[in-house]
Each structure stands twice: as C-alpha cells, then as structure tokens.
Amino acid sequence: MSNELTIGFLPLVDACLPILAHEHGFAEDEGITLRLVKDMSWATVLDRLLYGHSDAAHMIAPLAIATTLGRGRPAQPLSVPFVLGLNGNAITLRPELARQVRPEGHIGDPFKVGAALRTIVAERKAAGRPLTFGVVHRYSSHNYMLRYWLAACGVKPDEDVEITTVPPPFCADALAQGDVDGICVGEPWNSVAVEQGAGEIILATSQIWRRGVEKVLALREPVLDEKRDQVQRLIRALCKAAAHFVDPVNSAQNAGILARAEYLDGSAVLIQRAIADQMLIARGGALVEYPDFMFQYREAANFPWVSQAEWLYTQMVRWDGMAFDGADAARAGRVFRPDVYRSALLGTGEPLPGASSKVEGSLGAPTAVGTQQGSMVLEQNSFFDGKVFDPHHIADYFASLP
C-alpha cells in the first residue's frame, strides 16, 4: 500500500499544518509522503476529495457535515479525525462603513459594533440598498459566525442583509469593486483588503465564539478505513507541525514557507502578522494585538470534539430553515472522529481529553479537565452573547435561538 497521501488545500494561513508537516519533514519522519494540491474555492476542494483525486482535504468544518448529510448534493459520508485550527477569521467592512461602527484604530466590541451596524442596516434597507456580506461558502463557519452575531444583535440575515458566496482569494477584490459591503474570511485576505484600502477590520470571529472550530482535516469515510495507518501517521505529523507553528521562534521561517507561490503566493509580512496574532485594522494605522486570533495547538485545539460538530449542525438547521432532526444531529456528531485521534496519539506526549464531548461556551476562566493521557487546562470558550450549548440538550438549545 502506498504511503503517499494527496491533500487538497486553499491558500489560507490555516492550511499551515499539512504544508509545514511536509516542508519540515515531520511527515517523512512518520514514514509518509504528502502531495499538496492548491485550489481556489471550497467547492473545488470538495469535488477533488469526493471524486478520489485527493485522499484528504483542508476543509471548512460545516462542509464536512453538510456533505455527510446530503445538503446540496447526494450524501457522501466524510470523517474528520483532526482539527487544523480554531478561529482565525475576521469581519471586514468597506472603510466608510467600518468607521461608523467601531472605535478609531481599535477592534470593536461585538455588541456595540452590532448596535451601530443595525442602524446602518435599517437605513440601507429603507433606501432599497441592503447591505451585502461575502462569506466563503454557504456551509462555512464564516457564514455561521457572521449570522450568529448579526441575529444576536437584532439583524435578520437574508431579510435585513444579503449574504453571498465569494471564494477567499477574491474577497478583497469584491470589497474593492463594491460587489459586497463586508466580508468574513480567513487570513491573509482581510489584511490584503486593508493594505489595498478596500476594507477595515471590525471584529475577529474569536470574539463571537472564543474557541470556535474552523478548519479540519476531512477524508471520505471509506478512505479513512482503507488508509487508517497512514492517517494516524499523518495525525502525529500534524501535531508536530502544530507545536512548531505556535512557537514564536519559528514564525518568520514559517511565514516565508507559506508565502511561496505554490502555497499562499502572498506577503510573508502579512502572513507573519496573522501567526503572531497581530492585525492591521486600517491602512496607515498601528498593529493591534489580539491574543489567540489564530489557535492551532494548545488546549486540545486539534481534538475533534463531537459537541462542536453538533453545534454546527444546529446552525445548519437554523439557517437552512429545516426542522431539527435528532437522528441527523447524531450523524453530524459522528463525522468528528475522536477515536481515530486518540488511537493515533496514545502513548505519545500529546495530552488526550478524558471526554469526547463538552458543554460549549461554559468556561469563563482556565479550568483543569480530566484526561486520558497527560494534563490539560481549557481556557475561556464563551459565546459573546453568553449562551451555552449543552450537547445533551440539543433540541432545547435550538429552540432557544433568536
């Protein structure tokens, strides 16, 4: 059996772990070879995976669930044995709008920015020119974070504002050309928009959900079964890459690798800012430090919590306008595979949580949690509106949403 794995990815900073696992030899150390294939849209990444042109993919987490449940296309079961990172996205508005909703030179507070935006939304709607936001895919955390924030602030997505799909590499251009008024996208594309003067950052998505699941490693279920040994080797290589990535000593080197033409084909300066949790809010301004803007390693960041998949399902039902289905919620939860993650890392130095599910949004302070291996402290994981998602009461949570 071949030990080569083909992995599809989009040119985003959070594609870092498979790229660095390849470039730094962590995959080779585990006895596997990675072939990385760059695409320009999530639809293409998914097609390549489903047609067997890639073994695995850097993927937006909700898309793996939607594909398994047959949303938008015939169902094909996908598996997620590893989370590539949490958060790392931002909401960027055209400059004249951004300056009306957030403090000069600073990132905004979600409630205050939302209240100011609600006024603009009402004015534009009354004038017959509703605000338009671009998100990277219908089934993306970007879409769900944006909608969650807007709804909690009294703005009705699809009724008060329009939300359309723009592939990440084209988000800055869409802002510059006036095709959209705002974008929710991963780095470096917010920073590209800022450098071009096309937009200014108003919020980081980590302000909406402090530890929100973002990109994942996704495989077709039969491929995971067939190549279980290689996938476990890949998981170990990705963990080594994650530890290397979050070490500040390595940020310049890793930014230089990611900036290459075959990967992000972008500015190493902008990429290093994202790695260092620094954002340029507006062109000509000072860099703003936002701790944990990207989150790639600590606190079981790479662990596929079943509860996170189930939360994504609630948002899918909410915004697709479909009835809640307990069986589908369970199928969504089974997309995330903590069992594979555990089997890959048992006996290594990586901490393993004792549970596979948790109450999302419940932690306001660092909390020691039970483990299967090692020790672990989880930090604040709250939603900005104070809501808590208990996976044992999914239907009740869904019913409580505005």
Side-chain angles (χ1 to χ4, degrees):
M1 185 180 291
S2 170
N3 282 324
E4 180 179 87
L5 293 172
T6 300
I7 302 178
F9 74 96
L10 247 56
L12 292 156
V13 178
D14 59 24
C16 53
L17 301 191
I19 293 170
L20 298 178
H22 169 66
E23 289 288 343
H24 291 312
F26 299 129
E28 186 179 0
D29 290 345
E30 290 291 339
I32 56 174
T33 302
L34 303 185
R35 188 170 74 88
L36 300 164
V37 180
K38 179 166 72 173
D39 282 307
M40 297 303 279
S41 75
W42 291 116
T44 312
V45 169
L46 179 61
D47 284 344
R48 189 184 298 279
L49 184 69
L50 296 184
Y51 294 134
H53 297 166
S54 60
D55 299 301
H58 159 241
M59 185 174 286
I60 34 180
L63 186 54
I65 295 167
T67 303
T68 299
L69 296 180
R71 299 293 170 92
R73 64 193 306 157
Q76 288 206 47
L78 298 186
S79 294
V80 168
F82 190 90
V83 172
L84 293 170
L86 310 178
N87 297 126
N89 304 320
I91 300 173
T92 299
L93 295 183
R94 291 170 60 82
E96 65 275 15
L97 294 172
R99 291 165 194 164
Q100 296 177 60
V101 301
R102 59 118 173 88
E104 184 71 30
H106 295 280
I107 200 158
D109 168 84
F111 278 117
K112 292 178 180 177
V113 172
L117 186 68
R118 188 170 66 241
T119 300
I120 296 172
V121 164
E123 293 169 353
R124 287 282 296 266
K125 186 180 178 183
R129 296 183 297 110
L131 281 182
T132 301
F133 286 89
V135 297
V136 302
H137 196 279
R138 175 182 179 182
Y139 295 118
S140 67
S141 51
H142 313 67
N143 186 30
Y144 295 156
M145 291 292 180
L146 176 67
R147 288 170 178 269
Y148 187 95
W149 169 60
L150 290 173
C153 293
V155 176
K156 296 179 180 178
D158 304 321
E159 185 176 323
D160 297 334
V161 298
E162 296 177 358
I163 299 177
T164 188
T165 298
V166 182
F170 306 121
C171 278
D173 292 339
L175 263 186
Q177 294 167 13
D179 296 333
V180 295
D181 299 295
I183 54 174
C184 184
V185 67
E187 283 295 275
W189 302 108
N190 297 285
S191 294
V192 169
V194 171
E195 292 287 350
Q196 292 177 353
E200 296 184 3
I201 295 171
I202 59 166
L203 291 176
T205 53
S206 50
Q207 295 174 271
I208 299 168
W209 181 13
R210 185 70 182 147
R211 290 288 186 262
V213 62
E214 178 48 40
K215 302 299 190 310
V216 298
L217 180 78
L219 303 92
R220 285 183 296 131
E221 200 173 80
V223 172
L224 175 61
D225 294 338
E226 176 193 343
K227 301 191 175 186
R228 179 76 171 251
D229 178 63
Q230 293 96 320
V231 172
Q232 293 187 159
R233 293 167 186 258
L234 174 59
I235 288 170
R236 291 191 289 271
L238 292 173
C239 276
K240 294 173 185 174
H244 189 280
F245 178 74
V246 301
D247 188 337
V249 171
N250 303 321
S251 64
Q253 178 193 19
N254 286 335
I257 290 170
L258 295 173
R260 292 181 196 164
E262 64 267 35
Y263 299 132
L264 273 63
D265 192 20
S267 162
V269 172
L270 299 190
I271 293 167
Q272 189 172 358
R273 281 184 199 160
I275 295 173
D277 293 331
Q278 293 182 326
M279 290 183 284
L280 185 66
I281 302 299
R283 186 165 67 171
L287 287 175
V288 173
E289 181 112 8
Y290 189 80
D292 298 346
F293 169 70
M294 289 188 68
F295 204 77
Q296 253 62 35
Y297 186 55
R298 291 185 292 111
E299 300 174 40
N302 307 120
F303 187 78
W305 293 98
V306 171
S307 48
Q308 294 188 338
E310 291 170 333
W311 182 84
L312 291 173
Y313 170 74
T314 67
Q315 302 308 300
M316 190 174 298
V317 171
R318 182 184 189 186
W319 301 115
D320 277 359
M322 301 180 73
F324 176 85
D325 184 314
D328 273 355
R331 285 173 65 202
R334 287 194 295 271
V335 171
F336 278 30
R337 295 291 301 273
D339 59 314
V340 180
Y341 183 94
R342 291 180 191 282
S343 64
L345 295 170
L346 198 60
T348 71
E350 294 295 331
L352 293 174
S356 294
S357 191
K358 65 185 193 299
V359 179
E360 302 292 343
S362 63
L363 300 181
T367 305
V369 297
T371 59
Q372 177 185 6
Q373 173 175 287
S375 60
M376 186 178 299
V377 173
L378 300 182
E379 296 183 9
Q380 179 189 356
N381 69 352
S382 55
F383 292 90
F384 86 102
D385 58 358
K387 279 191 173 291
V388 169
F389 173 72
D390 185 341
H392 293 107
H393 301 284
I394 302 177
D396 291 341
Y397 172 82
F398 183 72
S400 75
L401 296 171

